[in-house]
Short mmCIF file of all heavy atoms in Angstrom, two decimals:
data_model
loop_
_atom_site.label_atom_id
_atom_site.label_comp_id
_atom_site.label_asym_id
_atom_site.label_seq_id
_atom_site.Cartn_x
_atom_site.Cartn_y
_atom_site.Cartn_z
N MET A 1005 17.83 -21.12 -44.46
CA MET A 1005 16.51 -21.52 -43.95
C MET A 1005 16.69 -21.90 -42.55
O MET A 1005 17.32 -22.66 -42.13
CB MET A 1005 15.82 -22.60 -44.89
CG MET A 1005 14.53 -23.02 -44.39
SD MET A 1005 13.84 -24.20 -45.56
CE MET A 1005 12.27 -23.33 -45.75
N GLU A 1006 15.66 -21.46 -41.71
CA GLU A 1006 15.85 -21.80 -40.21
C GLU A 1006 15.05 -23.09 -39.96
O GLU A 1006 13.95 -23.31 -40.58
CB GLU A 1006 15.20 -20.70 -39.38
CG GLU A 1006 15.90 -19.45 -39.39
CD GLU A 1006 15.22 -18.38 -38.41
OE1 GLU A 1006 14.02 -18.51 -38.27
OE2 GLU A 1006 15.81 -17.51 -38.10
N THR A 1007 15.49 -23.94 -39.11
CA THR A 1007 14.72 -25.18 -38.65
C THR A 1007 13.89 -24.75 -37.63
O THR A 1007 13.91 -23.70 -37.03
CB THR A 1007 15.79 -26.22 -38.17
OG1 THR A 1007 16.35 -25.69 -36.94
CG2 THR A 1007 16.81 -26.59 -39.22
N ASP A 1008 12.84 -25.37 -37.32
CA ASP A 1008 11.81 -25.10 -36.35
C ASP A 1008 12.47 -25.02 -35.01
O ASP A 1008 12.13 -24.25 -34.16
CB ASP A 1008 10.78 -26.23 -36.32
CG ASP A 1008 9.77 -26.10 -37.53
OD1 ASP A 1008 9.75 -24.98 -38.09
OD2 ASP A 1008 9.03 -27.03 -37.79
N GLY A 1009 13.50 -25.97 -34.60
CA GLY A 1009 14.13 -25.83 -33.35
C GLY A 1009 14.89 -24.58 -33.16
O GLY A 1009 14.86 -23.96 -32.08
N HIS A 1010 15.56 -24.02 -34.25
CA HIS A 1010 16.34 -22.85 -34.06
C HIS A 1010 15.31 -21.70 -33.85
O HIS A 1010 15.48 -20.73 -33.12
CB HIS A 1010 17.15 -22.57 -35.34
CG HIS A 1010 17.95 -21.27 -35.24
ND1 HIS A 1010 18.91 -21.18 -34.35
CD2 HIS A 1010 17.78 -20.14 -36.02
CE1 HIS A 1010 19.55 -19.90 -34.57
NE2 HIS A 1010 18.70 -19.23 -35.48
N ARG A 1011 14.27 -21.62 -34.66
CA ARG A 1011 13.24 -20.57 -34.63
C ARG A 1011 12.61 -20.62 -33.12
O ARG A 1011 12.36 -19.55 -32.56
CB ARG A 1011 12.19 -20.69 -35.68
CG ARG A 1011 11.40 -19.59 -36.03
CD ARG A 1011 10.49 -19.60 -37.17
NE ARG A 1011 10.25 -21.11 -37.39
CZ ARG A 1011 9.84 -21.58 -38.55
NH1 ARG A 1011 9.63 -20.75 -39.58
NH2 ARG A 1011 9.65 -22.88 -38.76
N MET A 1012 12.26 -21.75 -32.62
CA MET A 1012 11.66 -21.87 -31.30
C MET A 1012 12.59 -21.37 -30.30
O MET A 1012 12.18 -20.68 -29.40
CB MET A 1012 11.26 -23.26 -31.05
CG MET A 1012 10.06 -23.77 -31.96
SD MET A 1012 8.61 -22.87 -31.54
CE MET A 1012 8.23 -23.45 -30.03
N SER A 1013 13.93 -21.72 -30.30
CA SER A 1013 14.78 -21.24 -29.29
C SER A 1013 14.86 -19.79 -29.27
O SER A 1013 14.92 -19.12 -28.24
CB SER A 1013 16.12 -21.95 -29.39
OG SER A 1013 16.81 -21.50 -30.58
N ARG A 1014 14.98 -19.16 -30.47
CA ARG A 1014 15.02 -17.63 -30.41
C ARG A 1014 13.80 -17.03 -29.94
O ARG A 1014 13.73 -16.13 -29.22
CB ARG A 1014 15.27 -17.22 -31.86
CG ARG A 1014 15.51 -15.69 -31.96
CD ARG A 1014 15.88 -15.24 -33.29
NE ARG A 1014 14.62 -15.27 -33.99
CZ ARG A 1014 14.59 -15.46 -35.41
NH1 ARG A 1014 15.69 -15.60 -36.10
NH2 ARG A 1014 13.48 -15.54 -36.00
N LYS A 1015 12.59 -17.62 -30.26
CA LYS A 1015 11.25 -17.13 -29.72
C LYS A 1015 11.16 -17.21 -28.28
O LYS A 1015 10.69 -16.39 -27.58
CB LYS A 1015 10.17 -17.87 -30.49
CG LYS A 1015 8.77 -17.30 -30.15
CD LYS A 1015 7.66 -18.17 -30.72
CE LYS A 1015 7.15 -17.49 -31.95
NZ LYS A 1015 6.02 -18.27 -32.64
N ASN A 1016 11.67 -18.37 -27.76
CA ASN A 1016 11.57 -18.59 -26.31
C ASN A 1016 12.48 -17.60 -25.55
O ASN A 1016 12.20 -17.10 -24.50
CB ASN A 1016 12.05 -19.99 -25.93
CG ASN A 1016 10.95 -21.04 -26.25
OD1 ASN A 1016 9.86 -20.68 -26.43
ND2 ASN A 1016 11.37 -22.26 -26.31
N THR A 1017 13.69 -17.25 -26.15
CA THR A 1017 14.54 -16.31 -25.62
C THR A 1017 13.78 -14.94 -25.47
O THR A 1017 13.97 -14.15 -24.51
CB THR A 1017 15.84 -16.17 -26.38
OG1 THR A 1017 16.45 -17.44 -26.40
CG2 THR A 1017 16.80 -15.23 -25.81
N GLU A 1018 13.16 -14.49 -26.55
CA GLU A 1018 12.53 -13.19 -26.61
C GLU A 1018 11.33 -13.17 -25.58
O GLU A 1018 11.16 -12.28 -25.01
CB GLU A 1018 12.03 -12.95 -28.06
CG GLU A 1018 13.03 -12.62 -29.12
CD GLU A 1018 12.60 -12.74 -30.42
OE1 GLU A 1018 11.34 -13.00 -30.69
OE2 GLU A 1018 13.41 -12.53 -31.34
N ILE A 1019 10.74 -14.27 -25.46
CA ILE A 1019 9.58 -14.37 -24.43
C ILE A 1019 10.07 -14.37 -23.05
O ILE A 1019 9.50 -13.65 -22.19
CB ILE A 1019 8.72 -15.60 -24.73
CG1 ILE A 1019 7.96 -15.49 -26.06
CG2 ILE A 1019 7.72 -15.80 -23.63
CD1 ILE A 1019 7.29 -16.69 -26.52
N GLU A 1020 11.31 -15.04 -22.81
CA GLU A 1020 11.66 -15.19 -21.43
C GLU A 1020 12.43 -13.97 -20.91
O GLU A 1020 12.56 -13.65 -19.78
CB GLU A 1020 12.66 -16.27 -21.30
CG GLU A 1020 11.95 -17.66 -21.39
CD GLU A 1020 12.98 -18.84 -21.48
OE1 GLU A 1020 14.15 -18.61 -21.36
OE2 GLU A 1020 12.55 -20.02 -21.53
N SER A 1021 12.92 -13.02 -21.86
CA SER A 1021 13.57 -11.89 -21.47
C SER A 1021 12.78 -11.02 -20.53
O SER A 1021 13.34 -10.65 -19.48
CB SER A 1021 14.01 -11.15 -22.71
OG SER A 1021 14.77 -9.95 -22.29
N PRO A 1022 11.49 -10.59 -20.82
CA PRO A 1022 10.76 -9.81 -19.91
C PRO A 1022 10.55 -10.56 -18.59
O PRO A 1022 10.58 -9.96 -17.50
CB PRO A 1022 9.43 -9.53 -20.53
CG PRO A 1022 9.72 -9.70 -22.06
CD PRO A 1022 10.81 -10.71 -22.18
N THR A 1023 10.27 -11.92 -18.70
CA THR A 1023 10.07 -12.64 -17.39
C THR A 1023 11.29 -12.67 -16.55
O THR A 1023 11.31 -12.48 -15.35
CB THR A 1023 9.72 -14.14 -17.79
OG1 THR A 1023 8.50 -14.10 -18.65
CG2 THR A 1023 9.49 -14.93 -16.64
N ALA A 1024 12.51 -12.85 -17.17
CA ALA A 1024 13.74 -12.80 -16.36
C ALA A 1024 13.92 -11.44 -15.72
O ALA A 1024 14.43 -11.40 -14.71
CB ALA A 1024 14.91 -13.12 -17.41
N ALA A 1025 13.56 -10.36 -16.49
CA ALA A 1025 13.78 -9.10 -15.87
C ALA A 1025 12.75 -8.90 -14.70
O ALA A 1025 13.29 -8.34 -13.67
CB ALA A 1025 13.38 -7.93 -16.96
N LEU A 1026 11.64 -9.37 -14.72
CA LEU A 1026 10.67 -9.37 -13.56
C LEU A 1026 11.29 -10.15 -12.44
O LEU A 1026 11.18 -9.84 -11.33
CB LEU A 1026 9.30 -9.87 -14.02
CG LEU A 1026 8.49 -8.83 -14.92
CD1 LEU A 1026 7.18 -9.57 -15.28
CD2 LEU A 1026 8.29 -7.60 -14.13
N LYS A 1027 11.79 -11.40 -12.70
CA LYS A 1027 12.35 -12.18 -11.72
C LYS A 1027 13.57 -11.53 -10.98
O LYS A 1027 13.75 -11.54 -9.78
CB LYS A 1027 12.83 -13.48 -12.28
CG LYS A 1027 11.63 -14.44 -12.55
CD LYS A 1027 12.09 -15.83 -13.13
CE LYS A 1027 11.00 -16.64 -13.50
NZ LYS A 1027 11.46 -18.02 -14.09
N ASN A 1028 14.32 -10.86 -11.81
CA ASN A 1028 15.59 -10.11 -11.24
C ASN A 1028 15.17 -8.98 -10.33
O ASN A 1028 15.60 -8.82 -9.31
CB ASN A 1028 16.52 -9.59 -12.42
CG ASN A 1028 17.19 -10.70 -13.03
OD1 ASN A 1028 17.38 -11.83 -12.56
ND2 ASN A 1028 17.72 -10.50 -14.33
N GLU A 1029 14.07 -8.24 -10.92
CA GLU A 1029 13.59 -7.12 -10.03
C GLU A 1029 12.99 -7.61 -8.76
O GLU A 1029 13.14 -6.99 -7.72
CB GLU A 1029 12.56 -6.27 -10.86
CG GLU A 1029 11.92 -5.13 -10.09
CD GLU A 1029 12.91 -4.09 -9.64
OE1 GLU A 1029 14.00 -4.09 -10.11
OE2 GLU A 1029 12.54 -3.31 -8.85
N SER A 1030 12.21 -8.69 -8.90
CA SER A 1030 11.57 -9.35 -7.74
C SER A 1030 12.73 -9.86 -6.70
O SER A 1030 12.57 -9.57 -5.51
CB SER A 1030 10.76 -10.48 -8.10
OG SER A 1030 10.17 -11.16 -6.99
N ALA A 1031 13.65 -10.46 -7.15
CA ALA A 1031 14.79 -10.82 -6.32
C ALA A 1031 15.48 -9.62 -5.68
O ALA A 1031 15.91 -9.65 -4.45
CB ALA A 1031 15.85 -11.78 -7.17
N ARG A 1032 15.79 -8.63 -6.50
CA ARG A 1032 16.34 -7.44 -5.88
C ARG A 1032 15.53 -6.77 -4.83
O ARG A 1032 16.03 -6.50 -3.74
CB ARG A 1032 16.49 -6.35 -7.00
CG ARG A 1032 17.28 -5.15 -6.56
CD ARG A 1032 17.26 -4.01 -7.45
NE ARG A 1032 15.85 -3.48 -7.61
CZ ARG A 1032 15.22 -2.77 -6.69
NH1 ARG A 1032 15.86 -2.55 -5.53
NH2 ARG A 1032 14.02 -2.36 -6.83
N GLN A 1033 14.20 -6.78 -4.97
CA GLN A 1033 13.25 -6.24 -3.98
C GLN A 1033 13.33 -7.13 -2.66
O GLN A 1033 13.28 -6.50 -1.60
CB GLN A 1033 11.86 -6.04 -4.44
CG GLN A 1033 11.74 -4.99 -5.49
CD GLN A 1033 10.35 -4.92 -6.16
OE1 GLN A 1033 9.50 -5.84 -5.90
NE2 GLN A 1033 10.05 -3.92 -7.01
N ARG A 1034 13.28 -8.46 -2.84
CA ARG A 1034 13.33 -9.28 -1.79
C ARG A 1034 14.60 -9.12 -0.88
O ARG A 1034 14.60 -9.11 0.33
CB ARG A 1034 13.25 -10.86 -2.17
CG ARG A 1034 11.90 -11.22 -2.52
CD ARG A 1034 11.71 -12.78 -2.60
NE ARG A 1034 12.62 -13.41 -3.50
CZ ARG A 1034 12.53 -13.51 -4.74
NH1 ARG A 1034 11.50 -13.09 -5.37
NH2 ARG A 1034 13.57 -14.18 -5.42
N TRP A 1035 15.83 -9.00 -1.66
CA TRP A 1035 17.13 -8.71 -0.90
C TRP A 1035 17.05 -7.42 -0.15
O TRP A 1035 17.55 -7.27 0.94
CB TRP A 1035 18.26 -8.77 -1.91
CG TRP A 1035 18.74 -10.14 -2.08
CD1 TRP A 1035 18.64 -10.95 -3.22
CD2 TRP A 1035 19.42 -11.02 -1.14
NE1 TRP A 1035 19.13 -12.15 -3.09
CE2 TRP A 1035 19.67 -12.31 -1.82
CE3 TRP A 1035 19.74 -10.89 0.17
CZ2 TRP A 1035 20.31 -13.22 -1.23
CZ3 TRP A 1035 20.33 -11.92 0.79
CH2 TRP A 1035 20.57 -13.06 0.11
N GLU A 1036 16.45 -6.38 -0.83
CA GLU A 1036 16.33 -5.11 -0.17
C GLU A 1036 15.49 -5.19 1.05
O GLU A 1036 15.88 -4.58 2.08
CB GLU A 1036 15.77 -4.09 -1.11
CG GLU A 1036 15.71 -2.65 -0.55
CD GLU A 1036 15.13 -1.70 -1.49
OE1 GLU A 1036 15.19 -1.89 -2.76
OE2 GLU A 1036 14.53 -0.65 -1.11
N LEU A 1037 14.34 -5.88 0.98
CA LEU A 1037 13.52 -5.97 2.17
C LEU A 1037 14.19 -6.76 3.23
O LEU A 1037 14.15 -6.46 4.40
CB LEU A 1037 12.10 -6.71 1.89
CG LEU A 1037 11.27 -5.88 1.13
CD1 LEU A 1037 10.00 -6.73 0.66
CD2 LEU A 1037 10.74 -4.69 2.00
N PHE A 1038 14.97 -7.77 2.82
CA PHE A 1038 15.67 -8.62 3.78
C PHE A 1038 16.79 -7.80 4.55
O PHE A 1038 16.89 -7.89 5.78
CB PHE A 1038 16.46 -9.79 3.01
CG PHE A 1038 17.44 -10.55 3.82
CD1 PHE A 1038 16.91 -11.48 4.80
CD2 PHE A 1038 18.78 -10.31 3.75
CE1 PHE A 1038 17.81 -12.19 5.63
CE2 PHE A 1038 19.61 -11.16 4.46
CZ PHE A 1038 19.16 -12.04 5.42
N HIS A 1039 17.47 -6.97 3.77
CA HIS A 1039 18.53 -6.16 4.57
C HIS A 1039 17.85 -5.02 5.29
O HIS A 1039 18.41 -4.72 6.40
CB HIS A 1039 19.47 -5.52 3.46
CG HIS A 1039 20.33 -6.56 2.77
ND1 HIS A 1039 21.36 -7.12 3.44
CD2 HIS A 1039 20.32 -7.07 1.55
CE1 HIS A 1039 21.98 -7.94 2.67
NE2 HIS A 1039 21.34 -7.91 1.45
N ARG A 1040 16.73 -4.58 4.87
CA ARG A 1040 16.07 -3.63 5.79
C ARG A 1040 15.50 -4.27 7.01
O ARG A 1040 15.57 -3.60 8.12
CB ARG A 1040 14.86 -2.92 4.95
CG ARG A 1040 15.29 -1.97 3.93
CD ARG A 1040 14.22 -1.47 3.03
NE ARG A 1040 13.25 -0.76 3.78
CZ ARG A 1040 12.05 -0.41 3.38
NH1 ARG A 1040 11.71 -0.65 2.07
NH2 ARG A 1040 11.23 0.32 4.07
N ALA A 1041 15.05 -5.44 6.91
CA ALA A 1041 14.59 -6.19 8.13
C ALA A 1041 15.78 -6.43 9.17
O ALA A 1041 15.58 -6.27 10.28
CB ALA A 1041 13.84 -7.50 7.74
N ILE A 1042 16.84 -6.84 8.54
CA ILE A 1042 18.07 -7.03 9.40
C ILE A 1042 18.46 -5.66 10.13
O ILE A 1042 18.77 -5.72 11.19
CB ILE A 1042 19.31 -7.59 8.64
CG1 ILE A 1042 18.95 -9.00 8.11
CG2 ILE A 1042 20.51 -7.65 9.39
CD1 ILE A 1042 18.63 -9.97 9.09
N ALA A 1043 18.43 -4.65 9.38
CA ALA A 1043 18.80 -3.27 9.96
C ALA A 1043 17.84 -2.87 11.10
O ALA A 1043 18.21 -2.44 12.06
CB ALA A 1043 18.86 -2.21 8.85
N HIS A 1044 16.60 -3.20 10.76
CA HIS A 1044 15.54 -2.85 11.70
C HIS A 1044 15.76 -3.68 13.07
O HIS A 1044 15.61 -3.23 14.07
CB HIS A 1044 14.09 -3.10 11.20
CG HIS A 1044 13.12 -2.78 12.13
ND1 HIS A 1044 12.66 -1.61 12.52
CD2 HIS A 1044 12.21 -3.71 12.77
CE1 HIS A 1044 11.71 -1.63 13.32
NE2 HIS A 1044 11.38 -2.92 13.48
N ALA A 1045 16.05 -5.04 12.82
CA ALA A 1045 16.22 -5.80 13.98
C ALA A 1045 17.43 -5.35 14.80
O ALA A 1045 17.31 -5.41 16.05
CB ALA A 1045 16.45 -7.25 13.52
N LYS A 1046 18.47 -5.05 14.10
CA LYS A 1046 19.72 -4.52 14.76
C LYS A 1046 19.42 -3.25 15.59
O LYS A 1046 19.84 -3.17 16.80
CB LYS A 1046 20.84 -4.35 13.82
CG LYS A 1046 21.47 -5.49 13.24
CD LYS A 1046 22.65 -5.17 12.37
CE LYS A 1046 23.35 -6.34 11.77
NZ LYS A 1046 24.51 -6.10 10.86
N GLN A 1047 18.69 -2.36 14.94
CA GLN A 1047 18.32 -1.22 15.60
C GLN A 1047 17.48 -1.37 16.81
O GLN A 1047 17.54 -0.78 17.96
CB GLN A 1047 17.61 -0.22 14.63
CG GLN A 1047 17.41 1.16 15.27
CD GLN A 1047 18.63 1.95 15.70
OE1 GLN A 1047 19.55 1.99 14.97
NE2 GLN A 1047 18.65 2.49 16.91
N SER A 1048 16.44 -2.31 16.73
CA SER A 1048 15.52 -2.70 17.84
C SER A 1048 16.28 -3.26 18.93
O SER A 1048 16.06 -3.02 20.13
CB SER A 1048 14.46 -3.65 17.39
OG SER A 1048 13.68 -3.09 16.31
N ASN A 1049 17.23 -4.18 18.68
CA ASN A 1049 18.13 -4.83 19.65
C ASN A 1049 18.95 -3.70 20.38
O ASN A 1049 19.15 -3.71 21.56
CB ASN A 1049 19.02 -5.87 19.14
CG ASN A 1049 18.35 -7.10 18.83
OD1 ASN A 1049 17.15 -7.37 19.24
ND2 ASN A 1049 18.85 -8.02 17.95
N TYR A 1050 19.55 -2.84 19.65
CA TYR A 1050 20.32 -1.69 20.27
C TYR A 1050 19.45 -0.88 21.14
O TYR A 1050 19.88 -0.64 22.20
CB TYR A 1050 20.87 -0.90 19.04
CG TYR A 1050 21.72 0.23 19.70
CD1 TYR A 1050 22.98 0.08 20.28
CD2 TYR A 1050 21.23 1.61 19.61
CE1 TYR A 1050 23.69 1.15 20.75
CE2 TYR A 1050 21.84 2.62 20.14
CZ TYR A 1050 23.08 2.48 20.68
OH TYR A 1050 23.85 3.52 21.25
N ASP A 1051 18.19 -0.49 20.57
CA ASP A 1051 17.37 0.42 21.48
C ASP A 1051 16.90 -0.36 22.79
O ASP A 1051 16.97 0.25 23.80
CB ASP A 1051 16.19 0.67 20.67
CG ASP A 1051 16.38 1.68 19.45
OD1 ASP A 1051 17.60 2.25 19.35
OD2 ASP A 1051 15.56 1.78 18.66
N ALA A 1052 16.82 -1.70 22.63
CA ALA A 1052 16.29 -2.46 23.80
C ALA A 1052 17.52 -2.51 24.87
O ALA A 1052 17.34 -2.37 25.93
CB ALA A 1052 16.05 -3.86 23.44
N LEU A 1053 18.76 -2.69 24.37
CA LEU A 1053 19.87 -2.71 25.21
C LEU A 1053 20.02 -1.46 25.86
O LEU A 1053 20.39 -1.31 27.19
CB LEU A 1053 21.14 -3.15 24.50
CG LEU A 1053 21.26 -4.60 24.11
CD1 LEU A 1053 22.48 -4.76 23.06
CD2 LEU A 1053 21.31 -5.33 25.19
N VAL A 1054 19.99 -0.21 25.08
CA VAL A 1054 20.11 1.11 25.72
C VAL A 1054 19.04 1.33 26.80
O VAL A 1054 19.36 1.73 27.83
CB VAL A 1054 20.03 2.12 24.65
CG1 VAL A 1054 19.87 3.46 25.27
CG2 VAL A 1054 21.25 2.06 23.73
N GLU A 1055 17.78 0.92 26.48
CA GLU A 1055 16.64 1.02 27.44
C GLU A 1055 17.02 0.24 28.65
O GLU A 1055 16.74 0.64 29.87
CB GLU A 1055 15.40 0.70 26.74
CG GLU A 1055 14.24 0.86 27.80
CD GLU A 1055 12.83 0.53 27.14
OE1 GLU A 1055 12.78 0.67 25.86
OE2 GLU A 1055 12.03 0.14 27.81
N ALA A 1056 17.44 -0.95 28.54
CA ALA A 1056 17.68 -1.86 29.62
C ALA A 1056 18.90 -1.26 30.45
O ALA A 1056 18.79 -1.32 31.69
CB ALA A 1056 18.08 -3.27 29.22
N ASP A 1057 19.90 -0.70 29.78
CA ASP A 1057 21.01 -0.17 30.42
C ASP A 1057 20.60 1.05 31.28
O ASP A 1057 20.98 1.11 32.47
CB ASP A 1057 22.08 0.23 29.55
CG ASP A 1057 23.43 0.48 30.18
OD1 ASP A 1057 23.66 -0.11 31.18
OD2 ASP A 1057 24.15 1.41 29.59
N GLY A 1058 19.69 1.84 30.83
CA GLY A 1058 19.19 3.03 31.53
C GLY A 1058 18.33 2.72 32.65
O GLY A 1058 18.42 3.16 33.76
N ASN A 1059 17.55 1.59 32.54
CA ASN A 1059 16.74 1.14 33.65
C ASN A 1059 17.53 0.38 34.70
O ASN A 1059 17.21 0.44 35.86
CB ASN A 1059 15.68 0.05 33.07
CG ASN A 1059 14.57 0.88 32.17
OD1 ASN A 1059 14.34 1.94 32.47
ND2 ASN A 1059 13.94 0.12 31.52
N SER A 1060 18.66 -0.26 34.43
CA SER A 1060 19.47 -0.94 35.36
C SER A 1060 20.16 0.03 36.24
O SER A 1060 20.44 -0.29 37.43
CB SER A 1060 20.41 -1.87 34.70
OG SER A 1060 21.51 -1.17 33.95
N SER A 1061 20.47 1.17 35.75
CA SER A 1061 21.12 2.20 36.59
C SER A 1061 20.17 2.83 37.62
O SER A 1061 20.52 3.26 38.70
CB SER A 1061 21.76 3.39 35.83
OG SER A 1061 20.71 4.11 35.20
N GLU A 1062 18.83 2.69 37.41
CA GLU A 1062 17.79 3.23 38.26
C GLU A 1062 17.64 2.26 39.45
O GLU A 1062 17.40 2.64 40.52
CB GLU A 1062 16.51 3.42 37.54
CG GLU A 1062 16.60 4.55 36.43
CD GLU A 1062 15.37 4.57 35.64
OE1 GLU A 1062 14.31 3.85 35.90
OE2 GLU A 1062 15.25 5.41 34.65
N CYS A 1063 17.66 0.92 39.18
CA CYS A 1063 17.55 -0.13 40.19
C CYS A 1063 18.87 -0.69 40.56
O CYS A 1063 19.41 -1.43 39.67
CB CYS A 1063 16.59 -1.17 39.69
SG CYS A 1063 14.94 -0.70 39.49
N GLU A 1064 19.42 -0.51 41.55
CA GLU A 1064 20.77 -0.90 41.71
C GLU A 1064 20.76 -2.50 41.94
O GLU A 1064 21.64 -3.11 41.47
CB GLU A 1064 21.36 -0.31 43.13
CG GLU A 1064 21.86 1.16 42.99
CD GLU A 1064 22.79 1.40 41.81
OE1 GLU A 1064 23.75 0.53 41.77
OE2 GLU A 1064 22.74 2.30 41.12
N SER A 1065 19.80 -3.07 42.77
CA SER A 1065 19.80 -4.52 43.02
C SER A 1065 18.70 -5.09 42.40
O SER A 1065 17.74 -5.69 43.02
CB SER A 1065 19.90 -4.62 44.52
OG SER A 1065 19.90 -6.11 44.81
N SER A 1066 18.64 -5.27 40.94
CA SER A 1066 17.61 -5.97 40.37
C SER A 1066 17.81 -7.35 40.21
O SER A 1066 16.97 -8.09 39.74
CB SER A 1066 17.27 -5.22 39.04
OG SER A 1066 18.42 -5.30 38.23
N GLY A 1067 18.97 -7.85 40.49
CA GLY A 1067 19.33 -9.33 40.23
C GLY A 1067 20.71 -9.45 39.62
O GLY A 1067 21.34 -8.42 39.32
N PRO A 1068 21.16 -10.67 39.45
CA PRO A 1068 22.47 -10.83 38.87
C PRO A 1068 22.47 -10.31 37.43
O PRO A 1068 21.62 -10.51 36.68
CB PRO A 1068 22.74 -12.28 39.07
CG PRO A 1068 21.42 -12.92 39.09
CD PRO A 1068 20.55 -11.85 39.80
N LEU A 1069 23.72 -9.87 36.98
CA LEU A 1069 23.87 -9.43 35.62
C LEU A 1069 24.61 -10.62 34.86
O LEU A 1069 25.65 -11.14 35.32
CB LEU A 1069 24.80 -8.12 35.56
CG LEU A 1069 25.12 -7.72 34.20
CD1 LEU A 1069 23.86 -7.38 33.39
CD2 LEU A 1069 26.17 -6.55 34.21
N LEU A 1070 24.00 -11.09 33.91
CA LEU A 1070 24.52 -12.27 33.06
C LEU A 1070 25.22 -11.73 31.81
O LEU A 1070 24.62 -10.77 31.17
CB LEU A 1070 23.45 -13.10 32.66
CG LEU A 1070 22.72 -13.80 33.88
CD1 LEU A 1070 21.62 -14.73 33.25
CD2 LEU A 1070 23.67 -14.63 34.75
N THR A 1071 26.38 -12.22 31.58
CA THR A 1071 27.12 -11.76 30.37
C THR A 1071 27.58 -13.05 29.62
O THR A 1071 27.81 -14.01 30.19
CB THR A 1071 28.33 -10.86 30.63
OG1 THR A 1071 29.19 -11.62 31.45
CG2 THR A 1071 27.92 -9.61 31.29
N ILE A 1072 27.66 -12.94 28.39
CA ILE A 1072 28.14 -14.02 27.42
C ILE A 1072 29.65 -13.62 27.13
O ILE A 1072 29.95 -12.65 26.69
CB ILE A 1072 27.41 -14.20 26.25
CG1 ILE A 1072 25.88 -14.54 26.61
CG2 ILE A 1072 27.95 -15.21 25.26
CD1 ILE A 1072 25.08 -14.50 25.41
N VAL A 1073 30.54 -14.67 27.58
CA VAL A 1073 31.85 -14.51 27.18
C VAL A 1073 32.33 -15.40 26.10
O VAL A 1073 32.03 -16.58 26.19
CB VAL A 1073 32.77 -14.68 28.51
CG1 VAL A 1073 34.27 -14.52 28.08
CG2 VAL A 1073 32.31 -13.76 29.58
N ARG A 1074 32.95 -14.94 24.95
CA ARG A 1074 33.44 -15.81 23.93
C ARG A 1074 34.83 -16.10 24.05
O ARG A 1074 35.57 -15.39 24.37
CB ARG A 1074 33.07 -15.18 22.67
CG ARG A 1074 31.53 -15.11 22.52
CD ARG A 1074 31.26 -14.53 21.02
NE ARG A 1074 29.85 -14.28 20.84
CZ ARG A 1074 29.24 -14.33 19.81
NH1 ARG A 1074 29.84 -14.52 18.76
NH2 ARG A 1074 27.90 -14.09 19.91
#
């Protein structure tokens, strides 16, 4: 014979299972969007650098060139 506590814990596990699946899918989608945003930012930065490099060759004396040295 099952006690009420045992029966409740099994019932809660069955109820939480679809919720857990939705949470996992939601987390997966957030990570995917995060990685896509990072990739987009990297591409945007690269495109901006390429454009700035192309424009700097057109103007020889546009000002001092600053670089970061690590």
Side-chain angles (χ1 to χ4, degrees):
M1005 178 176 233
E1006 295 180 337
T1007 64
D1008 286 337
H1010 180 68
R1011 198 174 21 203
M1012 289 298 288
S1013 67
R1014 190 179 67 206
K1015 186 183 259 186
N1016 286 343
T1017 302
E1018 291 170 1
I1019 292 171
E1020 289 175 2
S1021 181
T1023 303
L1026 287 174
K1027 286 180 181 179
N1028 288 340
E1029 178 62 17
S1030 178
R1032 186 196 62 76
Q1033 289 176 353
R1034 283 194 309 272
W1035 276 111
E1036 183 179 337
L1037 285 173
F1038 172 76
H1039 289 291
R1040 288 174 61 192
I1042 295 296
H1044 177 74
K1046 286 181 178 181
Q1047 186 63 47
S1048 295
N1049 285 342
Y1050 176 77
D1051 292 345
L1053 286 172
V1054 168
E1055 184 179 333
D1057 192 34
N1059 289 340
S1060 68
S1061 65
E1062 295 171 5
C1063 296
E1064 288 299 322
S1065 180
S1066 64
L1069 176 65
L1070 301 177
T1071 58
I1072 298 173
V1073 179
R1074 294 184 185 207

